[in-house]
Every structure is written in structure tokens, then in C-alpha cells.
């Protein structure tokens, strides 16, 4: 018996020519994916040349993770290859993102020597969907901005909130995923939320101006401008030459030490570093050296009464 496309072959011959097992070919045959063209006088299945092409296609699709229902539809021409390829490309993209998230978590755990509880938290953060990630960050930002001094809807607050919002891209790099997991973990820290809330209120006050007097220079830029030159010159915070810088800082804000101690919290700088990685922004310049110098200089000058710059009050006998 011959097939128009060529001589028929037994299932054993088909197995030898395709590299598949007889059991696998029989499995596909029983499910109508590669039906026999005919049977031998003894009742054995015989296959034509088209079976070779079908089995090659089946093996390729199976290696790509396509399920048997879709394969059956493809060989029956109920679905086009392009439709199946598009659907499975989307599915693979999801799997790739999941694997990258898991890789980021494992890398972070290995780097930080995390305990089981912290590892579980990072794993759950990494598995969040896009909507869940957005809700988590919105919850953090709402806790920082809602009820803050001034108007949460003012231009100053809106701009500050936007500058603090991480936007993980659709196809993030591994370092962006790892940064997001760490940032999300940091955002759940109640003390950090309170710290950011204070910083936001101070920053909004600067941008809106005290008593409606218009914006005033920001504290951090002012410190960088004043402290940078003396730090570069090697002047120590306790030197007499540091006094003019301290006086200038006090003239900027009488509560400058309290504010600088908050700004100088390493968690704030870490948040800005992570935010830059996630959003693809240039790495921020560290202001820790000038802040450290300013805080120490102000503490050296802090008198008995606790207000930097006030004259010393002699104690009573």
C-alpha cells in the first residue's frame, strides 16, 4: 500500500526516522494528532510522509511548552501557528518575569544573609502583580502625605509625591527587580514612614515658603553649598574656621540640627538610590559627607540650653 506522498512506513520505522519512541508516537496517534494513513494486512499502523512533518512540528511545539489541546488544533488547522506562537510567547514572558523575580530574591537573600522571615517577606513582595505593587506603594505614599501639614493636593506635595514614586518598567532588569523588592520592604517600616513624612513636610514648606513668603533655598542644596568648600579644605567641624558656616546654617533655619539629623538618616539616602535604579534615573550624588560634617559641627556648637548658636549659660553654684 502506497501513499501519494511516498511509501508508507511502520510505527517502528517512523520512530527510527524521527528519534521519538514508539510509545510516544502511539500516544500522539491515539489522540488524533498524528493519525495513521492505513494499516498493514496484519492490522499494524502505517504512516505516510506527512506523519514525519507532523511529528517534527509536535516535538518543536512540545519543547516550547505548547499543550496537547493547542497542538491538536494546529495540526487540524483550527489554529494558525502564529496564533499559538503569540499566545505562548506571552505565557513565556510571564514565566521569564517570574524567574527573574525569584532570581532577584535569591540573590538578595544570599547577599544579605537574610533570616527565614525576611526571605519570606521578600519572596511575597517579588511575587506581587503590577496592580498589587502599585497598591503597596500607594499605601506607603498615602501614609506619608495624607494629613501632612499644608495641602496634600498642593503643587508642592504633588511634585514631591511624584519624585518619590517608583515605576518598575514592564521588562525590568534584574537589578531593578532587586531594588524594587528592597524598596518595598523599606516602605513597610513604620519608623521610615514617619521619617519620610517629616521630611516631606519640611520640603513642602521650603517650596511653598514660610507664611506665603515664596520659596526659599532648600536645606540640602544650602548645606552642600556652604559645607562643600570647607570640607574640601580639610576644616574640621570643631575648628574655629567652621563657625561662619554654622552661623549661616542657623540663619537658614533655627531647627537646622533636627532637620539635618532626619535628612542624614541612611534609610533616606538608600531610598533615593533604589528609586534611581528602579526608575532608570542617574545615580544620585551622595550628600552624606556634607551632612555628617554639618551635623557634627552643629552638635559641637550646641550649648547647655539645646539651641545651637545661643550663648553658654554658666551653671549656678
Amino acid at each position: 500500500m502506497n501513499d501519494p506522498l511516498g511509501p508508507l512506513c511502520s510505527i517502528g520505522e517512523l520512530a527510527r526516522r524521527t528519534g521519538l519512541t514508539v510509545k510516544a508516537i502511539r500516544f500522539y496517534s491515539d489522540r488524533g494528532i498524528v493519525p495513521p494513513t492505513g494499516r498493514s494486512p496484519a492490522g499494524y499502523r502505517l504512516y505516510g510522509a506527512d506523519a514525519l512533518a507532523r511529528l517534527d512540528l509536535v516535538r518543536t511545539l512540545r519543547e516550547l511548552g505548547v499543550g496537547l489541546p493547542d497542538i491538536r488544533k494546529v495540526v487540524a488547522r483550527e489554529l494558525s501557528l502564529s496564533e499559538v506562537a503569540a499566545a505562548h510567547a506571552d505565557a513565556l514572558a510571564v514565566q521569564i518575569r517570574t524567574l527573574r523575580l525569584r532570581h532577584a530574591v535569591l540573590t538578595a537573600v544570599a547577599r544579605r544573609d537574610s533570616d527565614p522571615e525576611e526571605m519570606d517577606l521578600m519572596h511575597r513582595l517579588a511575587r506581587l502583580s503590577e496592580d498589587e505593587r502599585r497598591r503597596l506603594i500607594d499605601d506607603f505614599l498615602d501614609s506619608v502625605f495624607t494629613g501632612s501639614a499644608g495641602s496634600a493636593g498642593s503643587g508642592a506635595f504633588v511634585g514631591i509625591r511624584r519624585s518619590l514614586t517608583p515605576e518598575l518598567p514592564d521588562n525590568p532588569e534584574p537589578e531593578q527587580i532587586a531594588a524594587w523588592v528592597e524598596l518595598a520592604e523599606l516602605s513597610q517600616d513604620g519608623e521610615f514612614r514617619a521619617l519620610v513624612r517629616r521630611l516631606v513636610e519640611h520640603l513642602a514648606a521650603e517650596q511653598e515658603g514660610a507664611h506665603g513668603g515664596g520659596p526659599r533655598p532648600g536645606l540640602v542644596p544650602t548645606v552642600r553649598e556652604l559645607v562643600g568648600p570647607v570640607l574640601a579644605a580639610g576644616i574640621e567641624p570643631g575648628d574655629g574656621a567652621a563657625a561662619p558656616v554654622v552661623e549661616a546654617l542657623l540663619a537658614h533655619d533655627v531647627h537646622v540640627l533636627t532637620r539635618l539629623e532626619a535628612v542624614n538618616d541612611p534609610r533616606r539616602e538608600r531610598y533615593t538610590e533604589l528609586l534611581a535604579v528602579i526608575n532608570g534615573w542617574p545615580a544620585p550624588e551622595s550628600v552624606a559627607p556634607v551632612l555628617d560634617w554639618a551635623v557634627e559641627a552643629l552638635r559641637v556648637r550646641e550649648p547647655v540650653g539645646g539651641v545651637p548658636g545661643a550663648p553658654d549659660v554658666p551653671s549656678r553654684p
Side-chain angles (χ1 to χ4, degrees), residues 92-310:
L92 283 173
V94 173
Q95 294 178 20
I96 290 170
R97 285 196 295 271
T98 299
L99 289 174
R100 293 173 76 178
L101 286 170
R102 292 176 181 174
H103 177 267
V105 170
L106 290 173
T107 301
V109 169
R111 185 185 303 120
R112 297 165 57 179
D113 193 22
S114 304
D115 57 36
E117 183 176 349
E118 185 181 22
M119 178 178 177
D120 179 65
L121 172 61
M122 288 192 293
H123 183 60
R124 286 188 284 110
L125 290 173
R127 294 181 64 186
L128 295 178
S129 67
E130 181 179 352
D131 288 342
E132 290 170 332
R133 290 198 302 268
R134 188 170 297 279
R135 284 198 296 271
L136 183 145
I137 295 300
D138 283 345
D139 174 71
F140 162 64
L141 294 175
D142 287 344
S143 73
V144 168
F145 287 89
T146 302
S148 296
S151 171
S154 69
F157 275 91
V158 170
I160 297 170
R161 177 166 181 147
R162 187 181 301 113
S163 71
L164 292 176
T165 303
E167 296 286 352
L168 194 65
D170 292 336
N171 295 297
E173 296 298 325
E175 58 269 21
Q176 290 177 301
I177 298 170
W180 191 92
V181 171
E182 185 179 344
L183 183 144
E185 184 182 14
L186 182 60
S187 74
Q188 303 308 295
D189 185 330
E191 292 184 1
F192 178 69
R193 291 188 175 202
L195 169 69
V196 177
R197 184 187 182 91
R198 293 196 302 273
L199 294 176
V200 164
E201 291 177 346
H202 294 156
L203 188 56
E206 287 177 350
Q207 292 188 7
E208 294 181 334
H211 309 296
R216 57 177 174 169
L219 177 59
V220 172
T222 298
V223 172
R224 186 187 289 113
E225 180 181 354
L226 292 172
V227 174
V230 294
L231 183 63
I235 297 174
E236 296 294 329
D239 289 351
V245 176
V246 173
E247 296 302 328
L249 291 173
L250 291 169
H252 181 276
D253 189 332
V254 69
H255 302 294
V256 66
L257 177 57
T258 300
R259 291 190 56 192
L260 283 179
E261 287 174 333
V263 174
N264 202 32
D265 190 301
R267 292 172 297 182
R268 178 208 62 82
E269 184 157 289
R270 184 56 180 161
Y271 187 94
T272 61
E273 292 170 348
L274 296 170
L275 193 64
V277 173
I278 296 168
N279 290 353
W281 297 341
E285 178 186 356
S286 175
V287 293
V290 294
L291 293 178
D292 288 341
W293 191 98
V295 168
E296 185 176 350
L298 288 163
R299 286 174 178 168
V300 169
R301 292 276 302 229
E302 188 169 352
V304 176
V307 179

Side-chain angles (χ1 to χ4, degrees), residues 73-95:
K73 292 177 181 178
V74 169
V75 297
R77 301 187 183 278
E78 295 176 19
L79 281 177
S80 68
L81 273 175
S82 60
E83 291 173 323
V84 172
H88 282 272
D90 291 342
L92 283 173
V94 173
Q95 294 178 20

